[in-house]
Amino acid sequence: MNVLSIIQLPLMRKLSIVALVLLLVGCSNSSTHPFAMAEEQQPRTSEEAGDGSDDKPAENPFRARIPAPPFPKDMQWMNTKGPLDLKDLKGKFVLLDFWTYCCINCMHILPELKKLEHEFPNQLVVIGVHSAKFENEKDTDNIREAILRYEIEHPVVNDNEMKIWNSYAVSSWPTMYLIDPEGNAVYLRKGEFKADDIRTILNAAIPYYRGNGSLDEKPIQFDLLAYSQDPTPLRFPGKVLADEKSNRLFIADSNHNRIVISSLGGELLEVIGTGEIGSADGDYQTAQFDHPQGMALVQDTLYVADTENHLLRKIDLKEKKVTTIAGVGRQGDSDETWPGLGTNATLDNLPKRFFGSPKTTAINSPWALWPHGDDLYIAMAGPHQIWKMKLDESEIGPYAGNGREDIVDGPLLPSVPYQQGYSSFAQPSGLTSDGKTLFVADSEGSSIRAVPFDPEGDVRTLIGTAKLQFGRLFSFGDIDGPADKAKLQHALGVCYVDGTVYTADTYNNKIKAVDAVTGEVKTIAGTGKPGKADSPAQFDEPAGLAHAGGKLYIADTNNHLIRVLDLKTNEVSTLEIQGLEPMPVKQRPEAPAEAVQK
């Protein structure tokens, strides 16, 4: 029996397009909710639907059509002038994307949605239904920042009380519903998908609705938040790296798609990258990135997690050149979580180790990096694992994590993919070390994990939810104190200094100190309310930390700033990067005369 058929593989996508299509079925199979699904079914084939000829009149391409529930009236809308109503969108295909902005799987489909929006501008309207997981994500201002950070170009509604979620019987993020031009929910998809999957369905369905006169192809232009933003020198910086020896601060200027290098005092030294999204290698003036995050410095080489390119890059700081060293330029699929496995793997022919050549191995949302010995460790947020690459670039593969999204302690890596009884992570997003242990900000479980460099050791949880019997990804808060009482909320950054793991407790807008032995937690900066004041210190979703000269350098992401925390006095200041000019912001395009403004 094929090994992949006897092990639960979340989000397996090695199927044909037809087999992937999930259609709504009639509600006769459910007595509890009209949108409950009985089973997966295939859509009508072109032969079944007909072509409109006299021999076989065209039938609706969707087997099941259920009137879509309307949106509640008391909702807060963003990226549009005012509230939208489904009845006002009749004539368009409407794609409802149920998401929450912390979720890596939700992040993965945003570029796919953008492709569809650009390809079907007059036929398709995408609406993001933001149904929050974390308390911090319920706030409309925070969702606005996420819309800007992820460069979303469609309307978003704040479903913070899960009203729309419940009316559509949604149970997981992300979930997508397609509504046809006649106002019927016709197609359902859970989990990640590619634009090609939906493109196939739209291309097959558009002729039918165009033919019966129900498709309205008049363009719509939405009033995006991006059109009203002021330019800033940094834009949603994600991670920082401080090097005391060379007096340099490296900043992942994530939404400007570049790396900024300054002195520790703020003097601008270099800007690496054009600022345009891309993956071009080359010198500092021609190289391109796509929302880079974590960095690691080894002598004169800066390694960069080029997150949305799904690549690792290295920068020769002497020669001033950028080179791609790992990844193939696309997101690794779920079966590529285990390089070397092969498509015909069975229990009898599993490889002894899961590794591949870096330049031919697909990777998935690398988020943070840490060098140790001859290896570079990678927080691979997409497959919920810690990976390792040889610094000689000879091999890359998973080091810890069985690929299940969870907070579970245990041995590093199973010999059989997804095997239980081994360590599990949930969107690891930050790395640091004391030289013996790799500490991980495991964001979706609001936990700090400890991963041994000894391959025979076990993963343990320093602070977090591993000991809970269930709900490990849904226990969070803002509580200082001993490890068994303390709680974090979606922490993204960690930095080890002299026995303490300093933590960017991102959704609590605080910097906390975690004892590296006992796990005791203490807030050292931040009121908990979002803001940019130095005294008393405020932050807005800080995500990256670095240490040099007795100071913590903080990527204060939503404030578009670098903050500095003196560890002796706990005083906070804002670093001005002298000479770094603001970059242009998105301009409102000229709309066609017939466009509807919303």
Side-chain angles (χ1 to χ4, degrees):
M1 181 179 290
N2 188 291
V3 66
L4 299 187
S5 67
I6 64 172
I7 301 168
Q8 180 184 358
L9 290 185
L11 304 179
M12 174 55 71
R13 291 291 176 259
K14 276 293 187 180
L15 301 171
S16 68
I17 292 294
V18 172
L20 280 171
V21 175
L22 304 178
L23 285 176
L24 291 171
V25 299
C27 60
S28 60
N29 291 314
S30 171
S31 60
T32 58
H33 200 291
F35 278 85
M37 294 177 300
E39 57 183 299
E40 298 178 9
Q41 291 189 1
Q42 295 180 1
R44 300 183 199 278
T45 65
S46 57
E47 290 78 11
E48 290 174 323
D51 59 6
S53 66
D54 292 338
D55 293 337
K56 190 155 191 176
E59 293 184 61
N60 192 296
F62 299 102
R63 294 181 185 274
R65 299 177 299 283
I66 302 173
F71 297 139
K73 298 296 184 183
D74 56 341
M75 310 294 281
Q76 291 180 301
W77 286 81
M78 295 149 280
N79 257 11
T80 181
K81 287 183 177 179
L84 298 179
D85 195 313
L86 279 178
K87 67 181 181 182
D88 296 331
L89 296 174
K90 272 199 172 183
K92 303 290 186 185
F93 286 94
V94 177
L95 190 157
L96 301 183
D97 172 34
F98 288 85
W99 68 300
T100 184
Y101 73 77
C102 65
C103 165
I104 190 67
N105 307 106
C106 300
M107 296 179 206
H108 285 160
I109 66 170
L110 291 173
E112 305 303 313
L113 294 175
K114 188 171 291 187
K115 293 175 187 176
L116 294 169
E117 292 171 89
H118 289 186
E119 186 169 345
F120 300 97
N122 299 334
Q123 299 84 23
L124 176 69
V125 172
V126 176
I127 294 177
V129 183
H130 191 274
S131 307
K133 170 186 173 180
F134 288 97
E135 192 68 28
N136 183 72
E137 295 177 309
K138 295 181 179 180
D139 185 86
T140 298
D141 287 339
N142 293 338
I143 300 171
R144 287 193 181 101
E145 292 300 321
I147 289 169
L148 293 166
R149 186 163 67 249
Y150 300 150
E151 298 168 353
I152 293 172
E153 298 177 355
H154 54 256
V156 174
V157 58
N158 184 0
D159 187 29
N160 56 3
E161 296 181 1
M162 305 299 239
K163 293 180 180 179
I164 305 176
W165 172 284
N166 290 330
S167 70
Y168 281 82
V170 177
S171 59
S172 61
W173 303 276
T175 290
M176 182 276 283
Y177 272 97
L178 185 66
I179 299 170
D180 74 0
E182 297 171 356
N184 299 306
V186 292
Y187 178 86
L188 167 66
R189 185 62 170 270
K190 293 185 176 184
E192 295 185 32
F193 59 83
K194 297 297 184 184
D196 279 346
D197 304 337
I198 311 305
R199 180 183 296 115
T200 300
I201 293 165
L202 289 174
N203 282 333
I206 284 172
Y208 170 83
Y209 291 95
R210 185 180 283 149
N212 73 7
S214 63
L215 183 64
D216 176 7
E217 300 187 72
K218 186 180 294 183
I220 295 178
Q221 186 179 73
F222 293 103
D223 188 26
L224 304 185
L225 291 167
Y227 300 151
S228 60
Q229 300 304 297
D230 294 326
T232 51
L234 298 174
R235 191 72 179 162
F236 295 106
K239 299 291 185 183
V240 287
L241 187 159
D243 182 44
E244 187 173 349
K245 182 179 179 181
S246 64
N247 188 34
R248 288 181 296 186
L249 183 69
F250 301 88
I251 304 165
D253 190 8
S254 301
N255 276 52
H256 283 155
N257 306 295
R258 63 185 184 178
I259 305 298
V260 172
I261 307 176
S262 76
S263 70
L264 295 175
E267 178 188 358
L268 181 64
L269 302 177
E270 300 281 3
V271 175
I272 307 173
T274 67
E276 298 293 325
I277 291 175
S279 59
D281 291 339
D283 60 27
Y284 287 3
Q285 290 72 42
T286 58
Q288 296 173 316
F289 302 89
D290 191 350
H291 296 79
Q293 288 286 338
M295 298 162 289
L297 184 65
V298 180
Q299 297 177 349
D300 293 313
T301 300
L302 182 71
Y303 294 90
V304 179
D306 195 2
T307 303
E308 294 193 23
N309 271 327
H310 307 286
L311 297 174
L312 296 183
R313 319 290 290 280
K314 74 175 180 182
I315 302 173
D316 187 318
L317 297 172
K318 282 190 172 181
E319 298 295 325
K320 298 188 176 184
K321 292 217 169 167
V322 179
T323 307
T324 299
I325 58 172
V328 297
R330 62 167 175 80
Q331 179 192 347
D333 291 334
S334 56
D335 58 331
E336 292 173 312
T337 298
W338 308 93
L341 183 64
T343 56
N344 298 315
T346 69
L347 289 175
D348 295 328
N349 65 7
L350 286 174
K352 292 183 178 179
R353 294 194 305 124
F354 300 106
F355 71 95
S357 173
K359 287 187 178 180
T360 60
T361 298
I363 61 177
N364 189 342
S365 293
W367 211 276
L369 305 175
W370 191 266
H372 178 77
D374 297 328
D375 300 309
L376 182 68
Y377 291 82
I378 307 149
M380 204 71 78
H384 311 290
Q385 292 177 311
I386 306 301
W387 280 40
K388 183 175 74 171
M389 186 188 76
K390 292 288 186 185
L391 286 175
D392 64 8
E393 300 167 28
S394 60
E395 65 178 56
I396 192 172
Y399 175 76
N402 61 7
R404 296 172 179 266
E405 185 177 9
D406 207 340
I407 304 294
V408 176
D409 292 343
L412 294 176
L413 198 68
S415 58
V416 176
Y418 302 101
Q419 185 176 3
Q420 295 192 16
Y422 291 80
S423 64
S424 295
F425 297 83
Q427 205 171 310
S429 302
L431 298 177
T432 190
S433 178
D434 62 357
K436 296 180 180 179
T437 299
L438 188 68
F439 296 101
V440 182
D442 215 4
S443 61
E444 279 297 281
S446 301
S447 299
I448 307 299
R449 316 294 295 286
V451 179
F453 290 124
D454 177 2
E456 301 301 319
D458 284 1
V459 173
R460 61 185 175 88
T461 297
L462 181 62
I463 168 67
T465 63
K467 293 183 179 179
L468 296 178
Q469 291 187 346
F470 51 85
R472 288 180 289 273
L473 303 186
F474 294 87
S475 179
F476 54 86
D478 183 8
I479 301 175
D480 290 357
D484 61 345
K485 304 291 185 184
K487 288 187 176 181
L488 309 173
Q489 187 181 183
H490 196 73
L492 288 174
V494 282
C495 180
Y496 177 87
V497 183
D498 298 332
T500 298
V501 179
Y502 292 98
T503 301
D505 193 3
T506 306
Y507 284 3
N508 285 326
N509 302 303
K510 291 182 176 182
I511 306 302
K512 295 186 177 181
V514 182
D515 188 291
V517 176
T518 68
E520 184 161 357
V521 176
K522 179 181 179 182
T523 297
I524 60 170
T527 65
K529 293 183 177 181
K532 61 176 67 175
D534 287 340
S535 180
Q538 291 179 308
F539 307 95
D540 195 344
E541 296 195 6
L545 298 176
H547 174 261
K551 297 177 180 179
L552 280 183
Y553 292 82
I554 303 160
D556 194 3
T557 302
N558 286 358
N559 278 327
H560 316 294
L561 296 172
I562 304 301
R563 315 293 293 284
V564 183
L565 170 59
D566 190 311
L567 292 178
K568 288 185 178 179
T569 64
N570 283 354
E571 293 179 350
V572 172
S573 59
T574 299
L575 183 69
E576 179 183 353
I577 303 176
Q578 304 145 28
L580 185 64
E581 297 295 326
M583 287 190 68
V585 296
K586 189 179 184 72
Q587 299 296 312
R588 187 188 305 272
E590 186 173 342
E594 70 276 19
V596 176
Q597 303 290 324
K598 286 191 179 291

